[in-house]
């Protein structure tokens, strides 16, 4: 581009008064275009950001925070592109308009890519390439730049690898990566807004759509990069066998996750018990299910384990869970009164349901006292069970103290035989 710019400068004399006047006029119009673009970004961009926040439900957070900048640079690019083709500008005004237009397009490209969570270096690289393309077009095209980049390279087998092909490959890969990100967000939002599916089916279709987008991007990339897959035909059998053995567990977990989503035996939000892990399902991923415990720990359980091991699902068909709270009272206490106080403590607990009603059972006459069990129902097991038991027992303790019901201490009766006493 520098050679092309030098040639362009060498082929033109110093600008005259008319060219300078036209250049100043073009620069003034470009500054006005930037001012209009800034105003559009602060007004229209803010409204569009609020619209995305209300409609996309968090699926486009990165774009929403940069929507003002995207609108600003889009308006600037359109106005400057219109300015460039609206008049047969002289050399200096054409150069200035191309410089402003290239800057606007570069900022637009980097803002969009950063909104898609692309790395900063990738966004700025593509922005620089966009600036180079637009500015080179303003001074006569990309032919000189392409020729220079194509001359620097090496021969590898039957294919020549040059700087131009390397830049082209990098741009294609980055654009495909950005396209996959954007397509996944759009599909995720579209499927999430569908009314004919429940939450589990939506999650399943979102996973399948993400896989389909990646596969499609792979084949499009192979076609654009002109990669000859027949060169790998000799190694395809052994390579595929090695991949099959190496990814056996991964593929098994992937298929198990799809089956779990299809039969809806385990869904996000369910409260499950797998071995020693108790918690609610936070996410069903490609490889594992995320289970969050009451301690805030997140257990990643492979999908295959949930298919082969016994799983206790507390909210499979009904979210109501019965909590058992053992209570022992002294034999010299008024048992009917104690049982009434147990029911009262359960009913006054905020998380205990009114229907099904709580109940109290006399389980056994134990060694230390009459053993009871309070049966209380809750509908939010993901909030924990131990805190419900603690709340009911704390309320019951105060009621027992108020009404004189005693909780027995451990007792041990010792019977001394008469013969032993006489021997003494």
């Amino acid at each position: 581009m520098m050679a092309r710019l030098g040639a362009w400068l060498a082929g033109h004399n110093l600008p005259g008064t008319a060219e300078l006047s036209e250049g100043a006029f073009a620069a003034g119009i470009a500054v006005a275009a930037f001012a209009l673009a800034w105003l559009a970004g602060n007004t229209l961009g803010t409204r569009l950001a609020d619209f995305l926040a209300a409609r996309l439900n968090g699926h486009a957070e990165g774009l929403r925070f940069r929507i003002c900048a995207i609108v600003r640079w889009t308006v600037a690019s359109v106005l400057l592109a219109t300015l460039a083709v609206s008049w047969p500008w002289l050399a200096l005004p054409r150069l200035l308009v191309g410089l402003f237009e290239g800057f606007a397009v570069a900022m637009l490209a980097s803002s969009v890519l950063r909104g898609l969570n692309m790395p900063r270096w990738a966004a700025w690289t593509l922005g620089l390439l966009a600036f180079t393309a637009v500015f080179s077009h303003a001074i006569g095209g990309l032919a000189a730049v392409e020729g220079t980049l194509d001359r620097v390279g090496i021969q590898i087998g039957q294919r020549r690898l040059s700087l131009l092909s390397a830049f082209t490959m990098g741009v294609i890969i980055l654009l495909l990566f950005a396209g996959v990100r954007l397509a996944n967000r759009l599909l995720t939002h579209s499927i999430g807004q569908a009314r004919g599916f429940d939450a589990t089916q939506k999650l399943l279709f979102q996973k399948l759509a993400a896989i389909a987008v990646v596969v499609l991007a792979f084949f499009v990339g192979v076609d654009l990069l002109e990669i000859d897959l027949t060169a790998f035909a000799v190694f395809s059998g052994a390579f595929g066998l090695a991949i099959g053995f190496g990814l056996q567990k991964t593929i098994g977990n992937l298929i198990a996750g799809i089956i779990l989503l299809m039969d809806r035996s385990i869904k996000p939000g369910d409260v499950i018990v797998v071995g020693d892990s108790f918690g609610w399902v936070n996410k069903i991923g490609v490889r594992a299910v995320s289970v969050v415990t009451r301690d805030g720990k997140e257990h990643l359980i492979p999908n295959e384990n949930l298919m082969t091991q016994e799983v206790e699902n507390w909210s499979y068909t009904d979210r109501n869970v019965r909590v058992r709270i053992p209570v022992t009272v002294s034999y010299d206490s008024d048992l009917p009164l104690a049982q009434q106080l147990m029911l009262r403590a359960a009913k006054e607990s905020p998380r205990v349901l009114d229907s099904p009603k709580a109940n109290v059972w006399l389980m056994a006459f134990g060694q230390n006292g009459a053993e009871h069990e309070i049966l209380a129902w809750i509908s939010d097991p993901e909030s924990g069970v131990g805190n419900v038991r603690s709340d009911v027992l704390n309320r019951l303790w105060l009621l027992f103290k108020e009404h004189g019901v005693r909780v027995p201490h451990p007792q041990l009766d010792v019977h001394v035989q008469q013969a032993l006493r006489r021997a003494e």
Side-chain angles (χ1 to χ4, degrees), residues 105-254:
V105 172
M107 294 302 296
L108 173 61
S110 61
S111 298
V112 172
L113 294 176
R114 288 295 294 160
L116 295 174
N117 294 329
M118 292 283 288
R120 190 182 301 273
W121 64 268
W124 284 110
T125 300
L126 287 179
L128 180 60
L129 292 176
F131 172 81
T132 303
V134 174
F135 185 65
S136 298
H137 178 73
I139 61 175
L142 288 171
V145 178
E146 292 178 357
T148 302
L149 294 177
D150 190 54
R151 284 194 298 269
V152 181
I154 57 175
Q155 190 73 27
I156 301 178
Q158 298 180 353
R159 186 168 183 175
R160 187 172 184 273
L161 181 62
S162 63
L163 286 179
L164 179 62
S165 61
F167 274 114
T168 303
M169 184 180 302
V171 170
I172 290 175
I173 292 175
L174 290 176
L175 289 178
L176 286 176
F177 185 67
V180 168
R181 287 282 186 92
L182 181 60
N184 282 336
R185 293 192 177 192
L186 293 176
L187 289 174
T188 299
H189 172 67
S190 300
I191 296 173
Q193 294 296 320
R195 299 182 178 180
F197 308 113
D198 58 19
T200 305
Q201 291 174 332
K202 290 178 182 179
L203 181 59
L204 172 61
F205 289 131
Q206 287 170 355
K207 296 292 184 183
L208 295 178
I211 295 174
V213 168
V214 172
V215 172
L216 180 62
F218 172 77
F219 285 108
V220 171
V222 168
D223 182 66
L224 293 178
L225 296 176
E226 299 180 353
I227 299 176
D228 188 10
L229 295 180
T230 59
F232 300 97
V234 178
F235 305 99
S236 60
F239 184 73
L241 186 61
I243 291 294
F245 279 111
L247 299 179
Q248 182 179 5
K249 288 292 185 181
T250 303
I251 299 300
N253 287 322
L254 173 62

Side-chain angles (χ1 to χ4, degrees), residues 329-386:
V329 296
S330 177
Y331 284 119
D332 57 1
S333 300
D334 187 351
L335 291 187
L337 175 61
Q339 294 169 0
Q340 292 177 6
L341 296 178
M342 294 178 198
L343 284 176
R344 179 180 170 183
K347 292 178 180 179
E348 291 179 353
S349 182
R351 288 182 56 197
V352 174
L353 300 178
D354 295 332
S355 179
K357 296 182 178 180
N359 200 358
V360 175
W361 287 357
L362 177 60
M363 304 299 295
F365 295 109
Q367 181 179 359
N368 300 319
E371 298 177 357
H372 294 77
E373 195 168 58
I374 304 175
L375 305 178
W377 291 85
I378 61 174
S379 60
D380 52 351
E382 66 275 5
S383 298
V385 177

Side-chain angles (χ1 to χ4, degrees), residues 318-333:
D318 189 0
R319 293 190 59 82
N320 292 344
V321 175
R322 188 167 66 176
V323 181
R324 298 176 179 270
I325 307 173
V327 177
T328 303
V329 296
S330 177
Y331 284 119
D332 57 1
S333 300

Side-chain angles (χ1 to χ4, degrees), residues 43-56 64 67-68:
T43 57
L44 181 61
T46 303
R47 296 180 180 178
L48 188 56
D50 296 337
F51 173 80
L52 291 177
R55 295 298 181 89
L56 297 186
R64 184 172 69 87
I67 196 66
C68 292

